[in-house]
Amino acid sequence: MDGSNFDLKEEIRDYWSKRSETFDLAFGHRIAPGPEAKAWQQPIRSVLGDEPLRVLELACGTGEVTRLIHELGHDVTALDFSEAMLAVARRKHAGKSRLRFVLADAENTMEPKETYDAIVCRHLVWTLTRPEQAIQEWFRVLRPGGHLLVFDGDWAVPKPAGRVASLAIELIDRLVGADRNYDGALSDRHGRIMKALPFGQGLQPDMLVPILAAAGFANIELQSHAPIARAQRRNANFRNKLRTVVYRRFILSCVRP
């Protein structure tokens, strides 16, 4: 990468396209049916409500969150800029009504203005190359009264307890071998990309709030990610249980007035 935005975005696209091959095998990306799926759906339901809405999902990946939104009865447009990710998602959801997949950039959706009742994204904001412009774009495509729901975290700086968990994970990796379906196989490349991103040194809610407010969003609220982490630990092995405590994760919602 030479640091230019175009090259960085192409590097990001290529990285996630390669991850598509094993993405659903990686802990923390696939959402298991049952308690974990319900835990992810709870904040979606609480923010979006029970009435069917027109929802734009950004960076849908292989369609895991897509499934959760769709199961709640909403009409979903699921967008990603990796054709490889979309290919997996389309196979997974073949034949479903109220659902379309779009190859596009989440930072410049090309969708008509004031089209959607809600936008949902998981683990996208930390990857944005131009966060201010992206969030202005999301404001544009939402209808007045529309909701933005963000699931994300600080993936750069472990929590104090997370540092201990990281050391334990490294020890397990040395004893039994690395988990090849986790980020490890591409970790060096992942690290290089992170260093080039605006949030590469970490993403925290208080960094995101002023950007949202400047774009015009109101009623900015935080929810705890802890119920999701607890659900993930229920059937996880010890190494994956440790992974749920390494980083600070958060859920943030706001409204276009």
Side-chain angles (χ1 to χ4, degrees):
M1 293 182 295
D2 66 9
S4 71
N5 186 57
F6 174 81
D7 288 344
L8 176 58
K9 291 186 76 68
E10 291 304 309
E11 181 79 1
I12 293 168
R13 186 205 307 268
D14 187 64
Y15 171 80
W16 290 113
S17 293
K18 286 184 169 58
R19 290 292 313 279
S20 70
E21 299 165 9
T22 58
F23 207 48
D24 283 345
L25 300 176
F27 179 80
H29 299 296
R30 179 179 181 271
I31 298 174
E36 185 182 350
K38 291 178 181 177
W40 283 98
Q41 281 180 322
Q42 192 281 326
I44 299 173
R45 183 183 285 110
S46 70
V47 171
L48 273 58
D50 295 325
E51 294 298 316
L53 301 179
R54 191 172 186 186
V55 179
L56 176 64
E57 184 197 357
L58 300 171
C60 69
T62 64
E64 287 294 284
V65 174
T66 312
R67 168 172 54 86
L68 304 184
I69 302 169
H70 189 266
E71 285 178 352
L72 292 174
H74 303 296
D75 292 356
V76 184
T77 295
L79 177 155
D80 204 282
F81 82 153
S82 166
E83 183 58 62
M85 285 285 190
L86 285 175
V88 176
R90 288 184 175 119
R91 288 195 300 270
K92 190 181 294 184
H93 296 285
K96 291 183 179 179
S97 61
R98 298 183 290 102
L99 174 59
R100 73 180 180 115
F101 290 99
V102 178
L103 179 65
D105 185 351
E107 298 189 32
N108 183 23
T109 67
M110 306 299 289
E111 292 292 297
K113 69 177 183 179
E114 299 184 2
T115 298
Y116 293 97
D117 302 304
I119 293 174
V120 178
C121 61
R122 177 177 73 146
H123 304 169
L124 165 65
V125 173
W126 75 270
T127 72
L128 295 175
T129 62
R130 296 178 176 177
E132 291 85 0
Q133 292 92 325
I135 288 170
Q136 289 168 7
E137 166 70 0
W138 304 349
F139 186 92
R140 184 187 68 83
V141 301
L142 277 173
R143 294 170 177 162
H147 295 269
L148 171 64
L149 177 61
V150 173
F151 297 88
D152 224 300
D154 180 352
W155 312 112
V157 182
K159 299 183 292 185
R163 296 187 184 98
V164 177
S166 294
L167 292 173
I169 292 168
E170 290 175 10
L171 177 60
I172 293 169
D173 286 348
R174 287 199 297 269
L175 291 173
V176 303
D179 179 353
R180 299 187 63 84
N181 293 321
Y182 204 64
D183 293 352
L186 294 170
S187 59
D188 291 342
R189 190 177 185 190
H190 185 279
R192 290 196 302 272
I193 290 171
M194 282 195 75
K195 288 179 181 178
L197 292 168
F199 294 128
Q201 301 304 309
L203 171 63
Q204 298 177 23
D206 60 1
M207 301 167 66
L208 192 52
V209 167
I211 300 175
L212 292 165
F217 284 101
N219 300 340
I220 302 170
E221 297 181 355
L222 283 174
Q223 295 187 43
S224 173
H225 193 279
I228 294 173
R230 285 196 296 270
Q232 288 176 321
R233 287 192 289 270
R234 287 186 62 169
N235 296 311
N237 61 36
F238 183 61
R239 176 163 49 185
N240 287 337
K241 283 183 169 70
L242 289 170
R243 286 186 171 122
T244 68
V245 300
V246 174
Y247 297 109
R248 294 179 179 88
R249 296 182 283 174
F250 62 86
I251 304 168
L252 185 150
S253 65
C254 54
V255 179
R256 172 178 173 169

